[in-house]
């Protein structure tokens, strides 16, 4: 059997090679998911942990737990028992379960609430006594020595039982203690004159902690002067005897967060939760990176979810490809299978030969797939956009057990898909094979069951369910990955393209028959023969057409989805910031005091500035009890002209914002956010996508220029409060004595930098009008840079001009950060990979079909040539057939892909919460993507024609007819 299988592989080496390509691609793509997601997760985690450490000055891997032994919830003995139980669980279950390398650990007992009396001094001082495991391995003794474990050799020795202790250098310098000095120690609750002292102690050393070591990454939390004694002596004297003075025990573990594996995050969080639940009555647990791990665990799920959404279409394409190639190979060998069956071969023997071939191919794919997946994952990390790669430091990736698990799963799926047509073919005998060829082919099962209609209906149902759930997500303001997602949403686009492809197969033969009957008396022989052949559209021709429609459709969908997602994320940054640069300056301010006085004759209120009142007496600033003092804040506006003259700045404008202002009109009252702008300057600088307003933004700004009192309100204010165009409103806010009289000129849904979801009530007014009627308050500066100016050059110019900046938002820098975001890199890389694999698989499948199709029809071609059809006429016939079958399928694929993009690309918004979907998705495509597709499919058709020409040149009718007789 092995020899027979080996000969079969050699005889079908090109077909087996094509299957091997599909198998390797299938295994590789599946193994990429865990490899890339784990690498991205570790990259993001390490980067943010390092940033957190720099920002807070604390090591994120610190895990600190403290248990109170003297607790109101426990008797002291029960407290000791509880602490020992927790210690046992930590050492034998909880910490090992986390499976994270430990840089350092520490166990720490403390005795608090003591006074010590130096025998040479008449005063007392509060102290605490500590036993800290392994502390002497992490300190430097700078004076004296470390405490001894034994003081004296027997109870008769006067030094027996005296506590030797050492102090930190800080404590030592802040106290009057000297080495060799002896003390009497009393409990806190006992008066000093009662002879119930706790014990005696002597200072023997001073130490300096090695703070650079992980042992000290967590503070010991000393609250008073600290005596550190030998740990073994402390345990023997106070812990093993369950001393009533032991107040607490703490456990510290410094985890190496750089070695945390993504698949272990859930276990770490779950273990921490269980420990906290176990000690909630008696202790506390502080895990520095717990929240970060929880957030990143959610982000990892989002990333994997996104990769699955994007990779599922590729997997379906590969399944189609594998099935098509294996079916073509088995169809090509149908006569051989029938002959073997007629000569006594059993079904299992024939099937086993194909099973061995599939296992051989799967084994090779399993061995090569994960390493290739690692390579592709690194390439994905270099993605800077769809079909765009840049030279940057890649994301560190490594193969995990999950990569090989996914690869094994892919190999098994490949075997199943390849053996489906083999299982069907082994049931045929030579009689059944001849009968199938002579009988009229009935409609395939999928047409009888209306599978195409079912698939389209299911995909549209999934689309309907998505938009229904969108209302729930909008209310809760959560991303789709935070709530259960219908699996149909993931497959909806693929199901729609597949259903549309099957619908094309149903309709296309009818159209061809209609064309055939219209001109069957006038068509030339070449076209007549082609139309007649296509009207009998069946078998592998149908599968090729479906393969082309599906692949091209998903290729168009992938390209559109990539362009749309990239545009959405970039537009979100531009919209949120509003301009190239938005900054605020440091404004100086002072509080002015005024005395309010009422004129007795006119009754008018007047204000007189006075010096600041003094809180504790004084003359000039003092106030009488019946005086009314009013304060006003005066701010000093920094020069604005400096920005307009700054090198690299094209335009600059002032933008004033206020979060809450009062709006009144008759009996109507509302609260909204205010934005004050200079219209003619704002129009040159602000960014707003053209589809977000009914008219161009400049049309609104022109109205504000014509009437300085004009304002625009959000549509939500019109709907909720009943404001109408032409309303005269008054606007005021805290710290302003006057009001702004304005006229409502219109309503807008969006405005630069204002998110109507999180800030539905807003108004836009003329800043010059605000400054004329109200006191000037700090505003932001919006800047549009020249095209050639970089952010570095702008920051340098700011520094040279000595401009003090409080806050700054830079659109270009945010876009750079976005491009380096691993999730976006993965999305772009995956969609690019999907696009390229679609082209490659389509090309290979196309060539395989036409080569095998020509070989299987050599007898037909020989008969046509013998009947007098020229080689040119035969080539023309095949060219017409290729154009009508492949060309029409490719055109249908473009149309189906465009329709699927229009319907299903907006569903990708579910990865973001509604408040993050601003501005909304705008379906976008790039002509270059379609150009690449056109080149690929055009190249396929040209190569196909060349192959047809070469094969027909070698065609010899006499040999073919003789072969037919045999």
């Amino acid at each position: 059997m092995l020899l027979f299988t080996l000969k079969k592989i050699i005889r079908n080496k090109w077909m087996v090679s094509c299957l091997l390509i599909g198998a390797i691609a299938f295994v590789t793509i599946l193994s990429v998911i865990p490899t890339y997601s784990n690498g991205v997760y570790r990259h993001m985690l390490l980067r943010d942990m390092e940033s957190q450490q720099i920002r807070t000055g604390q090591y994120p891997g610190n895990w600190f737990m403290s248990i109170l032994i003297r607790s109101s919830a426990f008797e002291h003995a029960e407290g000791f028992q509880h602490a020992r139980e927790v210690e046992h669980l930590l050492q034998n279950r909880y910490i090992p379960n986390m499976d994270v390398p430990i840089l350092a650990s520490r166990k720490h007992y403390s005795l608090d609430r003591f006074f010590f009396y130096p025998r040479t001094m008449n005063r007392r001082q509060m102290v605490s006594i500590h036993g800290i495991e392994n502390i002497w391995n992490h300190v430097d003794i700078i004076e004296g020595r470390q405490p001894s474990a034994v003081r004296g050799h027997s109870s008769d020795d006067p030094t027996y039982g005296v506590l030797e202790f050492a102090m930190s250098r800080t404590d030592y310098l802040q106290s009057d203690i000297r080495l060799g000095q002896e003390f009497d120690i009393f409990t806190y609750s006992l008066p000093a004159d009662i002879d119930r002292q706790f014990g005696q102690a002597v200072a023997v050393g001073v130490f300096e902690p090695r703070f650079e070591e992980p042992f000290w990454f967590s503070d010991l939390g000393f609250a008073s002067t600290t005596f550190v004694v030998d740990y073994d002596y402390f345990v023997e004297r106070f812990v093993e005897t369950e001393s009533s003075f032991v107040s607490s025990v703490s456990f510290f573990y410094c985890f190496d967060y750089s070695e945390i594996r993504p698949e272990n995050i859930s276990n770490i969080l779950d273990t921490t939760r269980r420990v906290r639940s176990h000690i909630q009555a008696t202790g506390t647990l502080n895990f520095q990176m717990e929240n970060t791990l929880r957030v990143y665990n959610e982000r990892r799920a989002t990333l994997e979810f996104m990769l699955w959404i994007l990779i599922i279409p590729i997997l379906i394409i590969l399944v189609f490809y594998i099935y098509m190639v294996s079916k073509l190979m088995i169809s090509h060998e149908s006569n051989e299978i029938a002959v073997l069956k007629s000569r006594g071969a059993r079904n299992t023997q024939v099937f086993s030969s194909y099973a061995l071939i599939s296992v051989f191919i799967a084994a090779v794919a399993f061995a090569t797939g994960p390493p290739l997946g690692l390579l592709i994952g690194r390439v994905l990390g270099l993605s800077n956009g769809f079909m765009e790669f840049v030279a940057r430091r890649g994301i560190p990736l490594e193969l995990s057990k999950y990569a090989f698990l996914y690869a094994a799963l892919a190999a098994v799926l490949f075997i199943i898909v390849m053996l489906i047509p083999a299982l069907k073919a082994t049931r045929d005998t030579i009689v059944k094979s001849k009968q199938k060829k002579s009988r009229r082919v009935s409609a395939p099962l999928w047409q009888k069951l209306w599978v195409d209609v079912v698939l389209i209906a299911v995909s549209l149902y999934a689309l309907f369910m998505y938009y229904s759930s969108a209302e729930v997500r909008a209310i809760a303001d959560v991303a789709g990955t935070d709530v259960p997602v219908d699996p149909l949403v993931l497959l909806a686009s693929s199901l729609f393209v597949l259903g549309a492809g099957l619908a094309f197969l149903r309709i296309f033969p009818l159209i061809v028959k209609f064309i055939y009957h219209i001109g069957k008396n006038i068509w030339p022989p070449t076209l007549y023969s082609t139309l007649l052949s296509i009207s009998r559209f069946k078998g592998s021709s149908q599968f090729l057409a479906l393969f082309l429609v599906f692949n091209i459709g998903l290729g168009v969908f992938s390209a559109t989805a990539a362009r749309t997602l990239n545009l959405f994320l970039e537009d979100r940054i531009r919209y949120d910031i509003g301009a190239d640069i938005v900054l605020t300056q440091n404004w100086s301010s002072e509080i002015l005091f005024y005395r309010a006085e009422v004129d007795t004759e006119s009754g008018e209120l007047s204000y007189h500035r006075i010096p600041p009142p003094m809180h504790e007496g004084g003359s000039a600033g003092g106030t009488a009890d019946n005086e009314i003092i009013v304060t006003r804040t005066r701010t000093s506006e920094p020069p604005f002209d400096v920005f307009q003259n700054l090198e690299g700045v094209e335009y600059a404008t002032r933008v004033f914002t206020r979060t809450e202002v009062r709006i009144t009109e008759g009996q109507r009252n509302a609260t909204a956010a205010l934005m004050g702008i200079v219209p003619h300057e704002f129009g040159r600088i602000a960014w707003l996508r053209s589809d977000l307003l009914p008219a161009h933004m400049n049309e609104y700004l022109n109205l504000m220029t014509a009437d300085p009192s004009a304002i625009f309100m959000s549509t939500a204010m019109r709907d909720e409060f009943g404001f109408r165009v032409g309303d005269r409103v008054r606007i005021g806010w805290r710290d302003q004595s006057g009001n702004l009289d304005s006229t409502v000129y219109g309503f807008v849904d969006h405005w630069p930098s204002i998110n109507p979801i999180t800030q539905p009530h807003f108004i836009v007014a003329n800043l010059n009008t605000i400054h004329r009627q109200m006191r000037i308050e700090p505003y932001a500066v919006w800047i549009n840079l020249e095209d050639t100016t970089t952010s570095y050059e702008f920051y340098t110019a700011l520094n040279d001009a000595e401009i003090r900046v409080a806050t700054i938002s830079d659109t270009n820098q945010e876009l750079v950060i976005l491009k380096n975001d691993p999730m976006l890199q993965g999305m772009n890389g995956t969609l690019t990979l999907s696009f390229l694999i679609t082209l490659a698989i389509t090309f290979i499948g196309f060539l395989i079909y036409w080569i095998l199709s020509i070989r299987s029809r050599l007898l037909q071609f020989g008969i046509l040539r013998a009947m007098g059809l020229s080689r040119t006429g035969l080539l023309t016939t095949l060219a017409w057939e290729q154009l009508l079958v492949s060309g029409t399928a490719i055109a249908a694929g473009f149309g189906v892909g465009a329709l699927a993009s229009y319907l299903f690309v907006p569903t990708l918004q579910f990865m973001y919460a509604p408040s993050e979907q601003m501005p909304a998705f705008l379906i976008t495509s790039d002509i270059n993507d379609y150009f690449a597709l056109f080149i690929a499919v055009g190249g396929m058709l040209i190569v196909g024609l060349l192959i047809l020409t070469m094969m027909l040149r070698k065609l010899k009718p006499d040999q073919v007819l003789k072969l037919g007789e045999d």
Side-chain angles (χ1 to χ4, degrees):
M1 177 62 70
L2 289 176
L3 183 60
F4 176 77
T5 303
L6 182 60
K7 290 180 179 180
K8 185 184 289 288
I9 291 175
I10 295 173
R11 187 169 60 251
N12 296 292
K13 56 181 176 296
W14 295 113
M15 198 67 68
V16 172
S17 299
C18 293
L19 280 172
L20 182 60
I21 291 173
I24 291 175
F26 193 62
V27 173
T28 299
I29 294 303
L30 264 182
S31 65
V32 160
I33 296 176
T35 299
Y36 184 76
S37 62
N38 286 359
V40 165
Y41 183 82
R42 289 194 66 192
H43 176 73
M44 293 189 297
L45 182 63
L46 289 176
R47 184 181 61 186
D48 278 28
M49 288 295 183
E50 291 167 358
S51 299
Q52 177 184 339
Q53 186 172 354
I54 294 173
R55 185 177 65 256
T56 63
Q58 295 183 339
Y59 186 75
N62 290 347
W63 195 92
F64 183 83
M65 183 184 70
S66 177
I67 299 176
L68 295 177
I69 294 178
R70 275 206 310 254
S71 172
S72 59
F74 289 93
E75 294 294 334
H76 196 263
E78 293 178 354
F80 259 106
Q81 183 179 357
H82 174 68
R84 288 171 176 169
E85 176 187 347
V86 171
E87 180 181 357
H88 176 77
L89 290 174
L90 280 179
Q91 295 177 351
N92 297 281
R93 181 188 301 176
Y94 292 138
I95 300 303
N97 279 353
M98 291 190 181
D99 193 24
V100 181
I102 298 173
L103 298 178
S105 63
R106 185 178 71 223
K107 184 164 64 174
H108 176 190
Y109 287 97
S110 64
L111 288 77
D112 295 332
R113 302 166 66 85
F114 293 96
F115 285 121
F116 75 89
Y117 286 81
R119 294 182 176 179
T120 59
M121 303 176 62
N122 188 22
R123 65 176 181 81
R124 67 179 185 176
Q125 184 174 344
M126 182 176 288
V127 298
S128 59
I129 302 171
H130 296 259
I132 305 172
E133 188 178 26
N134 294 326
I135 186 174
W136 309 116
N137 296 328
H138 304 281
V139 300
D140 293 319
I141 302 296
I142 59 175
E143 191 173 345
R145 60 177 174 84
Q146 76 179 52
S148 172
V150 179
R151 181 75 170 179
H153 299 284
S154 67
S155 57
D156 297 331
D157 192 327
T159 65
Y160 179 79
V162 176
L163 289 174
E164 290 189 352
F165 69 88
M167 301 177 64
S168 69
R169 180 174 179 272
T170 302
D171 273 356
Y172 183 70
L173 294 177
Q174 292 177 351
S175 67
D176 297 329
I177 299 175
R178 295 293 176 263
L179 295 185
Q181 192 174 12
E182 296 184 351
F183 307 91
D184 294 323
I185 303 177
F186 293 82
T187 60
Y188 178 72
S189 58
L190 296 176
D193 55 349
I194 296 179
D195 189 17
R196 293 186 58 185
Q197 70 179 42
F198 175 76
Q200 297 178 344
V202 59
V204 297
V206 179
F207 63 86
E208 179 73 34
R210 301 172 192 159
F211 289 110
E212 71 279 1
E213 295 184 2
F215 185 88
W216 297 99
F217 283 177
S218 175
D219 186 14
L220 289 173
F222 296 153
S224 58
T225 301
T226 302
F227 291 172
V228 180
V229 303
D230 181 80
Y231 177 77
D232 294 331
Y233 178 76
F234 186 100
V235 170
E236 177 185 354
R237 179 169 178 182
F238 300 110
V239 177
E240 292 181 353
T241 59
E242 296 188 358
S243 168
S244 61
F245 297 104
V246 177
S247 58
S248 66
V249 57
S250 64
F251 302 89
F252 167 70
Y253 294 91
C254 181
F255 293 115
D256 185 0
Y257 64 79
S258 65
E259 294 298 323
I260 292 178
R261 293 291 179 268
E263 60 270 17
N264 200 29
I265 298 296
S266 297
N267 187 37
I268 294 173
L269 293 174
D270 183 63
T271 301
T272 302
R273 179 188 57 79
R274 282 186 288 153
V275 172
R276 184 175 284 114
S277 175
H278 194 87
I279 65 168
Q280 61 181 351
T282 58
T284 58
L285 171 60
N286 181 27
F287 189 21
Q288 290 286 340
M289 59 182 177
E290 183 176 6
N291 290 334
T292 304
L293 291 179
R294 185 176 292 109
V295 170
Y296 273 89
N297 210 30
E298 296 170 357
R299 291 192 67 185
R300 175 172 176 255
T302 301
L303 175 61
E304 289 188 349
F305 195 69
M306 180 194 72
L307 288 177
W308 273 113
I309 292 174
L310 301 178
I311 282 179
I312 280 177
I314 311 178
L315 300 179
I316 295 176
I317 287 174
L318 290 170
V319 168
F320 262 88
Y321 169 81
I322 293 167
Y323 182 82
M324 186 187 78
V325 175
S326 60
K327 185 176 181 181
L328 287 173
M329 182 177 73
I330 293 171
S331 177
H332 185 63
E333 296 182 342
S334 59
N335 288 334
E336 179 184 343
I337 294 174
V339 170
L340 289 173
K341 294 288 293 296
S342 67
R343 294 180 179 179
R346 297 189 301 273
N347 291 349
T348 53
Q349 289 177 317
V350 177
F351 182 78
S352 297
S353 64
Y354 289 104
L356 287 174
I357 294 175
S358 66
V359 171
F360 168 75
I361 296 174
V364 175
F366 177 78
T368 57
L372 281 176
L374 181 63
L375 178 62
I376 289 177
R378 289 172 178 167
V379 173
L380 296 184
L382 302 178
S383 175
N384 196 51
F386 182 67
M387 298 290 287
E388 180 184 351
F389 295 92
V390 295
R392 68 157 65 97
R393 183 181 178 184
I395 297 172
L397 303 178
E398 60 182 25
L399 291 175
S400 65
K401 62 180 181 181
Y402 291 98
F404 290 98
L405 180 63
Y406 279 49
L409 176 62
V412 172
L413 289 176
F414 165 79
I415 294 173
I416 294 173
V417 172
M418 180 180 169
L419 291 181
I420 289 175
L423 181 63
K424 193 174 180 181
T426 54
R427 297 176 181 176
D428 291 342
T429 63
I430 191 169
V431 176
K432 290 182 179 180
S433 178
K434 296 298 181 182
Q435 287 176 344
K436 283 184 178 181
K437 292 183 179 180
S438 60
R439 287 176 182 172
R440 183 179 178 181
V441 180
S442 61
L445 182 62
W446 66 265
Q447 285 190 4
K448 296 177 181 179
L449 298 178
W450 295 88
V451 174
D452 50 343
V453 176
V454 172
L455 290 176
I456 294 175
V458 169
S459 63
L460 294 179
Y461 168 77
L463 187 66
F464 170 77
M465 293 303 296
Y466 163 78
Y467 283 111
S468 298
S469 63
E471 299 178 2
V472 177
R473 294 196 305 273
I475 295 173
D477 192 28
V478 295
T481 51
D482 296 331
V483 296
V485 179
D486 190 342
L488 285 177
V489 175
L490 309 182
L491 297 171
S493 59
S494 301
L495 294 178
F496 179 83
V497 174
L498 179 58
L502 292 173
F504 166 77
L505 296 188
R506 182 189 295 275
I507 297 171
F508 180 64
L510 301 177
I511 297 175
V512 173
K513 286 180 181 180
F514 177 74
I515 297 173
Y516 165 74
H517 286 293
I518 287 177
K520 63 180 179 179
N521 296 324
I522 60 174
W523 300 132
T526 54
L527 183 56
Y528 180 91
S529 174
T530 300
L531 291 173
L532 186 62
S533 176
I534 296 177
S535 65
R536 299 165 182 167
F537 201 49
K538 62 179 182 179
S540 57
S541 297
Q542 283 190 340
F543 203 85
L544 172 70
L546 179 61
F547 182 73
L548 291 175
V549 172
F550 187 76
N551 285 10
I552 299 299
L554 286 182
V556 171
F557 178 82
S558 297
T560 305
R563 297 296 180 189
T564 300
L565 279 170
N566 278 279
L567 180 68
F568 163 71
L569 295 173
E570 292 175 9
D571 285 356
R572 190 170 65 169
I573 291 175
R574 293 190 176 95
Y575 182 87
D576 185 57
I577 297 177
D580 289 349
I581 299 288
V582 174
L583 60 84
T584 59
Q585 296 175 266
N586 292 313
W587 287 50
S588 59
S589 61
E590 62 176 327
I591 299 177
L592 305 179
F593 294 84
Y594 295 86
R595 182 173 58 245
E597 296 181 354
V598 180
D599 191 303
T600 55
E601 296 182 358
S602 63
E604 295 181 354
L605 187 66
S606 60
Y607 296 91
H608 301 278
R609 184 177 174 182
I610 62 173
M614 300 178 64
H615 295 290
E616 297 182 1
S619 55
T623 61
D625 293 338
N626 59 349
E627 286 184 330
I628 300 176
I629 304 299
V630 179
T631 61
R632 293 284 186 269
T633 301
R634 183 173 68 183
T635 56
S636 300
E637 179 184 6
F640 170 72
D641 294 342
V642 64
F643 292 103
Q644 296 174 320
N645 301 321
L646 201 63
E647 184 179 356
V649 173
E650 186 176 12
Y651 300 109
T653 187
R654 296 162 294 172
V655 177
F656 170 68
T657 55
R658 186 84 185 194
T659 55
E660 289 188 2
V661 298
R662 301 182 309 274
I663 304 158
T664 58
E665 191 277 326
Q667 299 299 318
R668 283 194 293 254
N669 294 280
T671 302
L674 168 69
M675 175 181 283
I677 62 173
V678 182
H680 69 281
E681 296 177 354
F682 191 80
R684 297 172 178 172
I685 296 173
W687 183 92
L688 188 68
R689 210 169 63 193
S690 59
D691 65 306
L692 297 180
L693 292 177
H696 194 279
M697 183 178 66
N698 289 348
E699 300 292 334
Y700 296 85
L701 299 178
N702 290 338
L703 293 175
M704 296 183 71
T705 302
D707 184 356
S709 68
I711 65 168
F712 293 98
M713 288 185 171
S714 64
T715 306
M717 296 189 67
R718 177 195 64 191
D719 298 337
E720 293 186 29
F721 302 110
F723 290 106
R724 295 292 180 264
V725 173
D727 286 349
R728 294 286 297 175
V729 299
R730 305 190 71 187
I731 304 171
W733 58 88
R734 184 184 299 178
D735 298 332
Q736 290 282 2
S737 57
N739 290 290
L740 185 67
D741 295 321
S742 305
T743 304
V744 179
Y745 263 60
F747 301 91
V748 293
D749 292 316
H750 305 86
W751 200 256
S753 79
I754 297 178
N755 189 331
I757 297 177
T758 58
Q759 202 172 42
H761 304 144
F762 63 88
I763 59 175
V764 183
N766 194 314
L767 182 61
N768 292 328
T769 303
I770 295 175
H771 284 176
R772 280 196 299 269
Q773 301 185 26
M774 315 287 275
R775 178 171 43 82
I776 294 179
E777 296 184 25
Y779 53 76
V781 178
W782 288 28
I783 295 172
N784 185 37
L785 299 177
E786 296 176 352
D787 294 338
T788 58
T789 303
T790 64
S791 296
Y792 175 78
E793 292 171 344
F794 174 74
Y795 297 150
T796 302
L798 278 179
N799 186 59
D800 294 341
E802 298 182 352
I803 298 175
R804 295 185 302 165
V805 175
T807 62
I808 187 168
S809 299
D810 187 337
T811 297
N812 291 330
Q813 291 301 308
E814 291 297 327
L815 289 175
V816 170
I817 294 173
L818 173 68
K819 294 292 184 180
N820 288 314
D821 180 63
M823 293 188 68
L824 183 63
Q825 292 173 15
M827 181 199 72
N828 283 317
T830 304
L831 288 171
T832 300
L833 181 66
S834 172
F835 189 75
L836 296 176
I837 286 180
T838 298
L839 296 181
I841 293 300
T842 303
F843 185 77
I844 295 173
F846 176 83
L847 292 183
I848 290 173
Y849 165 77
W850 280 108
I851 291 172
L852 292 182
S853 176
I854 291 172
R855 287 181 177 177
S856 64
R857 295 163 64 185
L858 285 177
L859 180 59
Q860 177 188 352
F861 296 156
I863 293 173
L864 291 174
R865 290 284 285 117
M867 292 173 61
L869 186 64
S870 65
R871 183 178 284 110
T872 303
L874 185 57
L875 181 60
T876 304
T877 300
L878 291 176
W880 276 113
E881 183 177 346
Q882 180 171 331
L883 181 62
L884 288 174
V885 175
S886 304
T888 307
I890 289 169
F894 276 102
V896 169
L899 182 58
S901 299
Y902 175 78
L903 292 174
F904 295 98
V905 166
T907 63
L908 297 177
Q909 293 180 101
F910 83 93
M911 292 186 292
Y912 305 94
S915 60
E916 298 174 339
Q917 299 175 17
M918 188 55 56
F921 269 33
L922 178 65
I923 307 301
T924 307
S925 58
D926 193 322
I927 190 63
N928 292 325
D929 300 333
Y930 290 103
F931 187 64
L933 272 174
F934 278 123
I935 291 177
V937 298
M940 286 192 310
L941 294 175
I942 293 172
V943 172
L945 285 173
L946 291 175
I947 292 175
L948 289 176
T949 303
M950 292 172 59
M951 296 185 71
L952 291 177
R953 278 177 173 274
K954 300 178 181 179
L955 181 64
K956 296 181 180 180
D958 55 339
Q959 294 181 0
V960 172
L961 293 175
K962 184 66 172 67
L963 178 63
E965 293 175 1
D966 294 339

